[in-house]
Amino acid sequence: MTDIQVQPSGAPTGHALLEVKNLFVEFHTRDGVARVINGVSYHLNPGETLAVLGESGSGKSVTAQAIMGILDMPPAKIPSGEILYRGQNLLTMSEEKRRQVRGKEISMIFQDALSALNPVFPVGWQISETLRTRAGMSKRDALARAVELMDLVKIPAAKARIKDYPHQFSGGMRQRVMIAMSLAMDPKVLIADEPTTALDVTVQAQIMDLLADLRRDLNMGMILITHDLGVVADVADRIAVMYAGRIVEHANVHELYKNPAHPYTEGLLDSIPRLDSKGTELATIKGLPPNLLRPPTGCAFHPRCKYAKDLCRTDVPASLNLGNGRTSACHFAKEMLDGTLR
Ligand code: SF4
């Protein structure tokens, strides 16, 4: 059996805002050690959107939490790897310095707006709190800025609604409040973790449009974490697909949609509902993601892969460089691309 060989997913330009390099994260549990991130590397350039895609448990949110420095350690442990923000390794910074980066330079929108907002404080107070405590603004200035931020995220009648409580907003409007809070300190990197979960399809599209506009207008780098390949086509520049704690495919968005180089990506693409397939059964990827306490031998995707061969059950595939920043961790990536595997 071969060891995992790790290669960077797409070469950074040399001006990368953020670089995750060969990151490993483990969770130490009573049942053993779960290796949840296994050599993840990706980067984010200024002004671009990287979508990080995968099912629950693939490690996409854990990587984001490691970037933010909000992993519970223990049980989590980071045995090796680097997370560079403008060339500085966040993992070796003092907690004091890290706090200055968190929120101010790198900010995060969390999944569940309802539970992330405090139900007993008005939304304006919650947005302005960061400005008072982190930027030292007076109460009046912070509230005025909170109104500007609510305007920025297109909450109608922002000034009138500043004293409203979270339960007085719809799900989509609450998510806009969360986005306003994440922008309070003018971050350079915005991490959006499943920002449209639990919203209906129309509101999902509005939130994605808003994030794309903000990313462009504020010239931020954005990492968009999602399990839904259907929501990223119009907003992402590049996509990193994660499975069992590894990046199994990385490509620019057009190449990936046109011709996936990994069977897992192909399965995700096939499971997007299409208008022209009305009346036919929706394709799914059979089986479940692996238990990372006892991962499969060889390629972690082999129990679910319709193309699996003997080699896949014994040897971990290296991340193959397919040119133009494209990588795939499949023994048969080239055959996937030229169509001879299908
Ligand atoms: Fe499938 Fe084998 Fe490729 Fe893994 S290495 S994705 S099992 S074909």
Side-chain angles (χ1 to χ4, degrees), residues 45-63:
N45 295 319
E48 71 167 357
T49 300
L50 170 72
V52 180
L53 187 87
E55 292 164 291
S56 295
S58 61
K60 53 198 193 313
S61 294
V62 172
T63 311

Side-chain angles (χ1 to χ4, degrees), residues 261-264 298-309 311-313 315-317 328-333 336 341:
H262 194 283
Y264 179 57
C299 173
F301 188 57
H302 87 251
R304 305 173 72 187
C305 181
K306 60 184 175 190
Y307 306 117
K309 305 185 192 319
L311 175 69
C312 308
R313 297 181 186 94
D315 287 25
V316 178
S328 167
C330 171
H331 291 302
F332 303 101
M336 272 295 292
L341 193 64

Side-chain angles (χ1 to χ4, degrees), residues 273-282:
R274 287 170 207 280
L275 284 175
D276 58 5
S277 61
K278 207 172 163 193
T280 57
E281 201 175 325
L282 191 62

Side-chain angles (χ1 to χ4, degrees), residues 24 38 56 63 75 83 125 133 140 147 165 180 183 216 231:
F24 286 76
N38 296 297
S56 295
T63 311
I83 300 174
W125 186 92
T133 55
R140 176 196 285 240
V147 174
Y165 290 83
L183 297 176
R216 188 192 57 237
V231 305

Side-chain angles (χ1 to χ4, degrees), residues 154-232:
K154 301 188 171 72
I155 294 176
K159 200 170 180 182
R161 301 216 62 186
I162 198 139
K163 289 188 178 153
D164 286 353
Y165 290 83
H167 73 269
Q168 294 171 285
F169 288 80
S170 66
M173 285 297 150
R174 277 196 294 264
Q175 191 55 284
R176 286 172 194 262
V177 172
M178 292 297 296
I179 295 170
M181 286 171 78
S182 71
L183 297 176
M185 301 297 289
D186 296 324
K188 308 295 176 292
V189 174
L190 184 64
I191 302 175
D193 188 0
E194 304 274 10
T196 58
T197 300
L199 300 177
D200 68 47
V201 178
T202 316
V203 181
Q204 269 185 12
Q206 291 166 354
I207 295 290
M208 294 310 293
D209 286 349
L210 172 68
L211 286 171
D213 290 348
L214 290 168
R215 205 270 310 132
R216 188 192 57 237
D217 296 348
L218 305 177
N219 195 30
M220 297 179 293
M222 183 161 78
I223 296 176
L224 175 63
I225 297 169
T226 179
H227 64 278
D228 186 352
L229 195 45
V231 305
V232 298

